[in-house]
């Protein structure tokens, strides 16, 4: 005789089965990688900034406190960004881009822009200094992604199809160069051009555009004395180790001291008055000195993982027919991977010295806010795709993530 299963038990079993079959709400490995970098960045900023904080502000925890507040603000903005539908970014992307261009103009207006170490990149907003060039990297990706969807045929078949957006991108690049910020300009242009290539632009026009941009950047280097000095010092930093090659020579000493496993967390010497900007642009050197080659390889692997997940999300969005989400995810992956490569390349002497932060790790509220927004957009794209896939299998699914 068969046992009779109570109705409540059957309902409980069915409920557990539905929960076990329900897909994750978002890409948890991507989130954990980003949070891991943020947490590790907090530790390294604390290690790198205590000496300079005690010297400049009579408080060894001065930069640690500010970085903690910046992380809280960045995570809050990231949570808010995750609630925004992907379709809203597609509608508003061009307006955000144009608004950021307007802020880049305001930065250059005397009396508005805030100057630090000869660079005018910030707009003072009370306790926070807004750096529009950081936001431009994200909004340029969103703008180009929307443009590729709206003008797919023109981009693939007409020369004007990809020249038109490059006019606005060129304007933004020129404004960033006036600050001056050559590193951010290079990263933004490389990301946009990579995204246009992924969008199907013809090879010959793309090659012409790439050559034009390369010639233009080379001309800017050749006609600028301080950029030329950076190039020459990059080739042989120890030729003038106390002047033009000072930063890179000190960074290379830090890498050399780290060897395989490093000198130990907190035991680095280069951050103690030797290496300028140890907690911002050259935090990778502090990592290399204190945690060695093994620590740097772990950081590089994490950035590679984030870029890989971003391209994976883009591929799934493309398969689902959401081309804007696909281009946005791929653009974010290009940008984060490229900026990490450039920063680590500068720190290790592979590339000329540029003032560019290491995403998630360097001190700086604007950088933290922008990368948290980027990860939140990636997670939202992934969540939307998962929900659409779940609804295709179960039409009665909840539409709360549809975008």
């Amino acid at each position: 005789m068969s046992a009779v299963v109570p109705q409540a038990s059957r309902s409980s079993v069915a409920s557990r089965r539905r929960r076990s079959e329900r897909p994750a709400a978002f890409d948890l490995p991507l989130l954990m990688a980003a949070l891991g970098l943020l947490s590790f960045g907090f530790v390294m900023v604390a290690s790198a900034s205590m000496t300079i904080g005690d010297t400049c502000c009579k408080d060894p925890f001065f930069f640690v406190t500010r970085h903690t507040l910046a992380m809280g603000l960045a995570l809050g903005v990231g949570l808010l960004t995750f609630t925004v539908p992907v379709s809203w970014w597609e509608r508003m992307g061009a307006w955000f881009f144009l608004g950021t261009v307007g802020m880049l103009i305001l930065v250059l207006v005397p009396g508005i822009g805030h100057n630090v170490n000869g660079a005018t990149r910030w707009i003072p907003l009370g306790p926070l200094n807004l750096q529009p060039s950081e936001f431009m990297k994200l909004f340029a990706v969103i703008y180009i992604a929307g443009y590729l969807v709206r003008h797919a045929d023109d981009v693939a078949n007409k020369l004007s199809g990809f020249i038109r957006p490059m006019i606005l991108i060129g304007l933004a690049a020129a404004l960033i160069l006036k600050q001056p910020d050559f590193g951010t300009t290079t990263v933004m242009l490389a990301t946009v051009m990579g995204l246009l290539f992924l969008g199907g632009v013809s090879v010959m026009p793309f090659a012409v555009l790439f050559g034009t941009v390369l010639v233009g950047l080379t001309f800017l280097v050749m006609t600028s004395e301080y950029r030329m000095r950076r190039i020459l010092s990059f080739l042989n930093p120890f030729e003038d180790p106390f002047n033009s090659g000072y930063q890179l020579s000190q960074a290379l000493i830090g890498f050399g001291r780290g060897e395989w496993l490093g000198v130990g967390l907190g035991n680095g010497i280069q951050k103690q008055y030797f290496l300028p900007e140890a907690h911002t642009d050259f935090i990778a050197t502090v990592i290399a000195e204190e945690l060695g080659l093994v620590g740097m390889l772990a950081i590089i692997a994490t950035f590679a993982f984030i870029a890989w997940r971003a391209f994976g999300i883009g591929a799934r969005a493309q398969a689902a027919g959401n081309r804007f989400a696909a281009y946005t995810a791929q653009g974010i992956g290009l940008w984060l991977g490229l900026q990490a490569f450039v920063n680590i390349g500068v720190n290790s002497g592979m590339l000329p010295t540029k003032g560019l932060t290491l995403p998630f790790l360097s001190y700086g509220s604007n950088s933290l806010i922008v990368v948290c927004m980027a990860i939140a957009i990636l997670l939202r794209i992934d969540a939307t795709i998962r929900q659409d896939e779940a609804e295709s299998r179960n039409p009665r699914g909840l539409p709360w993530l549809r975008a």
Side-chain angles (χ1 to χ4, degrees), residues 213-233:
V213 172
L214 186 62
V215 169
L217 293 177
T218 303
F219 175 77
L220 289 173
V221 171
M222 299 293 291
T223 56
S224 173
E225 183 179 352
Y226 89 93
R227 292 191 186 109
M228 198 64 190
R229 282 201 309 269
R230 285 191 170 188
I231 293 293
L232 295 176
S233 64

Side-chain angles (χ1 to χ4, degrees), residues 177-193:
L177 280 173
K178 287 288 292 182
Q179 297 180 357
D181 191 347
F182 189 79
T184 296
T185 303
T186 303
V187 168
M188 183 188 70
L189 287 176
T191 302
V192 166
M193 292 180 64

Side-chain angles (χ1 to χ4, degrees), residues 170-303:
L171 172 62
L175 292 171
I176 296 173
L177 280 173
K178 287 288 292 182
Q179 297 180 357
D181 191 347
F182 189 79
T184 296
T185 303
T186 303
V187 168
M188 183 188 70
L189 287 176
T191 302
V192 166
M193 292 180 64
L195 196 53
L196 285 171
F197 183 77
L198 292 173
V201 66
S202 299
V203 175
M204 186 56 67
F206 178 81
V208 172
L209 177 63
F210 179 81
T212 303
V213 172
L214 186 62
V215 169
L217 293 177
T218 303
F219 175 77
L220 289 173
V221 171
M222 299 293 291
T223 56
S224 173
E225 183 179 352
Y226 89 93
R227 292 191 186 109
M228 198 64 190
R229 282 201 309 269
R230 285 191 170 188
I231 293 293
L232 295 176
S233 64
F234 151 72
L235 297 174
N236 188 5
F238 292 100
E239 183 179 358
D240 190 9
F242 298 106
N243 191 10
S244 60
Y246 181 76
Q247 281 182 310
L248 183 52
S249 60
Q250 295 300 319
L252 292 176
I253 291 172
F255 269 79
R257 291 191 76 249
E259 298 185 352
W260 287 96
L261 299 176
V263 298
L265 183 62
N267 294 328
I269 293 177
Q270 293 306 104
K271 65 191 180 185
Q272 300 179 10
Y273 311 112
F274 294 103
L275 186 64
E277 310 297 337
H279 58 303
T280 55
D281 301 343
F282 282 86
I283 197 167
T285 298
V286 180
I287 297 171
E289 183 182 7
E290 298 188 352
L291 300 179
L293 178 63
V294 172
M296 280 305 303
L297 289 177
I299 295 299
I300 293 171
T302 306
F303 277 111

Side-chain angles (χ1 to χ4, degrees), residues 33 36-41 44 283-288 291-307 336-337 340-341 343-344 358-362:
L37 285 178
L38 283 173
S39 302
F40 181 69
M44 295 313 302
I283 197 167
T285 298
V286 180
I287 297 171
L291 300 179
L293 178 63
V294 172
M296 280 305 303
L297 289 177
I299 295 299
I300 293 171
T302 306
F303 277 111
F305 176 79
I306 289 175
L336 294 178
F341 169 78
N343 180 275
I344 295 173
L358 185 58
F360 302 101
L361 297 169
S362 293

Side-chain angles (χ1 to χ4, degrees), residues 91-125:
R91 292 194 303 271
M92 301 299 295
W95 294 107
F96 274 104
F97 178 83
L98 293 174
T100 309
V101 169
M103 288 192 292
L104 288 173
I105 296 173
L106 285 179
V107 166
L108 302 176
V109 175
I112 295 180
H114 179 56
N115 186 289
V116 177
N117 295 330
T120 306
R121 303 174 185 173
W122 298 269
I123 299 175
L125 296 176

Side-chain angles (χ1 to χ4, degrees), residues 75-89:
L75 290 171
V77 173
L79 286 172
L80 181 63
T81 303
F82 181 75
T83 66
V84 178
V86 179
S87 57
W88 187 84
W89 291 109

